[in-house]
Amino acid sequence: MEQGQTNSDLISNGWFMEKNKQWSGQAFSLEVEKVLEVKQSEFQDIMVFQSKNHGNVLVLDGVIQCTEFDEYCYQEMLAHLALNSHPNPEKVLIIGGGDGGIARECAKHPKVKSVTQCEIDGDVVALSKKYLPSMASGFESPKMNLNIGDGFAFMEKHQNEFDIVISDTSDPVGPAERLFSENYYKLVHAALKEDGILSVQGECMFLHANLIRNLLDFCNGLFAKAAYATSYVPTYPCGQIGYVLASKNAHTNFKKPAIVFNEDEKEKIGFRYYDEEIHENAFVLPRAFKKILAGTNHEE
């Protein structure tokens, strides 16, 4: 979004157009049925609109965060790739994720006993509860402890405490910029137990290959091992988003889930995207992208 613009400025002739310098030269549009709410929070410009075919849509600073149509693709992968790579993911910390989708996925995992979430913008949580109830349902779980505040400050006080940390961030601009810094990853590392695993939104390999390479390189230096996985999300740029996973345990095998559910368990949990086959194949990457990553000490 250009400086001085608001989310509403990106609606023209009944269409919302996502134009952003982070993916220069391309745009994505959704037909708008009705603008439900526009709000300038302390941190960002928030809009929720009802689209013609994709349900309700959450937009922050001009960028689509989720739609009811395909949010499950992202939420399930960011959460369950990490949760099921750990043999006993009892205690989870979520940084960001104000729409509630990651909280929902963590809360319904049978091995998870407690979920703590730090979201800096309470307005995102409130609007998600109002307009995205199927995602925000996770906030109502008895496993949940929601903190509206700075994840940095929280982690400084909580070390060697969590089995899983999930960083559900928007792109590295605005209020999320700090969540891509070296200091942030060092705080996450300290907050994790000795066999803990991090899962973080890992950007699009078609648009941000060098950023991903640098992030993997740094994570491999800080953690015992790291890897990049991928999934389809139709309303994200290029229809693809990645996930960077990092473990303090050198024996973690991201490509082979430590927890596998039978069919009845999958139905009870409510998986729509994730299963063990998707998990294993998420780490199979295009040849050109693997060449770009070849300079890192990433997991083969």
Side-chain angles (χ1 to χ4, degrees), residues 10 21 31 62 124 126 145 168 229 267 297:
L10 299 178
K21 291 179 180 179
E31 190 170 3
V124 173
N145 177 27
D168 182 15
E267 288 299 312
N297 184 29

Side-chain angles (χ1 to χ4, degrees), residues 17 87 97 147 153 218 245:
M17 182 174 288
N147 295 275
F218 175 75
L245 297 161

Side-chain angles (χ1 to χ4, degrees), residues 36 123 132 139 164 173 205 213 244 266 299:
L36 298 172
D123 288 327
L132 300 167
F139 293 135
I164 305 288
V173 294
M205 62 182 165
R213 174 176 172 165
V244 172
K266 292 173 192 174
E299 185 180 14

Side-chain angles (χ1 to χ4, degrees), residues 43-281:
F43 302 98
Q44 56 206 331
D45 192 26
I46 308 169
M47 178 170 67
V48 184
F49 69 85
Q50 179 187 341
S51 68
K52 184 172 183 179
N53 295 319
H54 289 64
N56 290 350
V57 181
L58 174 65
V59 180
L60 300 180
D61 286 338
V63 177
I64 294 171
Q65 302 301 306
C66 56
T67 79
E68 291 182 307
F69 169 70
D70 62 4
E71 53 85 10
Y72 66 94
C73 306
Y74 171 78
Q75 316 288 1
E76 290 186 17
M77 291 296 277
L78 184 62
H80 294 287
L81 284 172
L83 291 170
N84 295 320
S85 292
H86 194 291
N88 195 28
E90 293 185 346
K91 196 167 185 179
V92 179
L93 173 65
I94 303 168
I95 303 296
D99 53 56
I102 297 299
R104 177 194 68 199
E105 294 303 316
C106 292
K108 68 187 185 183
H109 194 287
K111 285 189 175 288
V112 171
K113 293 183 178 179
S114 70
V115 182
T116 301
Q117 180 166 352
C118 294
E119 164 60 51
I120 198 167
D121 196 336
D123 288 327
V124 173
V125 174
L127 291 175
S128 296
K129 288 181 177 180
K130 185 175 181 180
Y131 297 111
L132 300 167
S134 64
M135 297 174 63
S137 62
F139 293 135
E140 307 307 316
S141 169
K143 298 179 182 181
M144 280 296 302
N145 177 27
L146 177 63
N147 295 275
I148 303 300
D150 185 2
F152 275 72
F154 181 88
M155 285 190 291
E156 285 172 351
K157 299 175 184 177
H158 296 266
Q159 298 189 357
N160 194 32
E161 186 171 333
F162 298 97
D163 300 301
I164 305 288
V165 174
I166 300 175
S167 188
D168 182 15
T169 67
S170 52
D171 299 293
V173 294
E177 187 172 4
R178 286 202 306 159
L179 304 185
F180 285 78
S181 69
E182 291 186 4
N183 285 340
Y184 174 72
Y185 285 90
K186 289 175 181 177
L187 280 174
V188 169
H189 187 274
L192 285 165
K193 296 178 183 177
E194 287 308 306
D195 60 350
I197 292 175
L198 164 69
S199 179
V200 60
Q201 185 269 102
E203 298 297 327
C204 175
M205 62 182 165
F206 298 104
L207 300 174
H208 305 116
N210 288 331
L211 183 154
I212 295 164
R213 174 176 172 165
N214 291 338
L215 180 55
L216 274 177
D217 194 27
F218 175 75
C219 283
N220 271 301
L222 181 61
F223 291 82
K225 67 191 320 181
Y228 180 90
T230 181
S231 75
Y232 308 107
V233 184
T235 51
Y236 285 170
C238 298
Q240 183 270 336
I241 194 70
Y243 314 91
V244 172
L245 297 161
S247 178
K248 294 174 77 171
N249 181 358
H251 298 293
T252 300
N253 183 358
F254 289 122
K255 296 180 181 180
K256 199 75 175 175
I259 300 171
V260 177
F261 300 103
N262 62 40
E263 288 304 312
D264 287 342
E265 290 170 330
K266 292 173 192 174
E267 288 299 312
K268 185 177 180 180
I269 293 170
F271 287 134
R272 290 190 284 168
Y273 192 99
Y274 176 91
D275 64 16
E276 67 278 7
E277 292 179 317
I278 287 287
H279 185 124
E280 293 175 10
N281 284 288

